[in-house]
Amino acid sequence: MEMPMTDHARQALLLLRDPGLFQWYVVPLLLIVIYIYAAEVQRRNWSIPLAGLALWGMDWFNEIWNALVSHFTGRAPVWGAVGKTAYQILIGLNIEICFMFAIMGVAAAKMLPPDPAKRVLGVPNRWLLAAVNAALSVGVELLLHAAGVLTWDWPWWQAGCPYLIWLVGYLPFFVVCFWVHDMKRVSTKVVTVGAIFAVDAAALVVFGSLGYL
């Protein structure tokens, strides 16, 4: 039996890719993102911007499968973005969230200790920081959900049981971000980031052309 679409999903779909929502603050936000990456490129500190792009690419992957869940169930995405936005890209992704994730990986990578082998409280620092950053991100999501701008309509993805949000929604972002950061060769980092975005781009083209997104 087909499940009815939730009110939250309808709200998000009404916003989807409506150019009339545009606000001028998008332009300075874009310049801020460009400046953050340009500053690291100027220093030839390739590990930081590539790690940032890796996390950003992982978020695009998550947002794509989230939109597919919405399409194929006909009920709701796993998470939806509603409320004021300057542009709704996908049902769970607006332009403000997109820019946030573009910056998040750079910020997380810049906080890494220089030595990947160093342990903190007996735990490898990369794994500890990935776990802590993921937990902090879930905390922010809980606040956004409480504010009514981030919606959850599935019983297994809720504030009362945030473990899946932590495990699926955020932990892989930081693990991949730190993994790319610590790769020995810049060329390997570039190929890995390129592969992530190639998968994202292919999915956007294929599923977008089919009307699934």
Side-chain angles (χ1 to χ4, degrees), residues 90-103:
L90 296 171
I91 196 165
L93 177 69
N94 57 40
I95 191 67
E96 295 86 357
I97 296 172
C98 183
F99 287 157
M100 178 197 71
F101 278 111
I103 297 171

Side-chain angles (χ1 to χ4, degrees), residues 2-24:
E2 185 176 349
M3 294 178 288
M5 183 177 292
T6 66
D7 290 339
H8 291 145
R10 289 193 187 91
Q11 291 174 38
L13 288 175
L14 286 174
L15 301 172
L16 196 59
R17 293 186 286 278
D18 178 0
L21 297 174
F22 175 78
Q23 297 291 328
W24 277 107

Side-chain angles (χ1 to χ4, degrees), residues 22-51:
F22 175 78
Q23 297 291 328
W24 277 107
Y25 67 75
V26 169
V27 177
L29 282 180
L30 174 61
L31 289 175
I32 289 170
V33 174
I34 292 172
Y35 175 81
I36 289 170
Y37 277 85
E40 300 302 328
V41 170
Q42 184 183 39
R43 300 185 187 102
R44 299 296 189 267
N45 192 10
W46 302 112
S47 294
I48 300 296
L50 289 169

Side-chain angles (χ1 to χ4, degrees), residues 6 11 19 24 30 44 47 64 70 93 108 113 132 151 156 158 165 169 171 195 204:
T6 66
Q11 291 174 38
W24 277 107
L30 174 61
R44 299 296 189 267
S47 294
I64 292 166
S70 178
L93 177 69
V132 170
T151 63
W156 35 266
Q158 288 291 334
I165 304 173
L171 186 62
L204 287 169

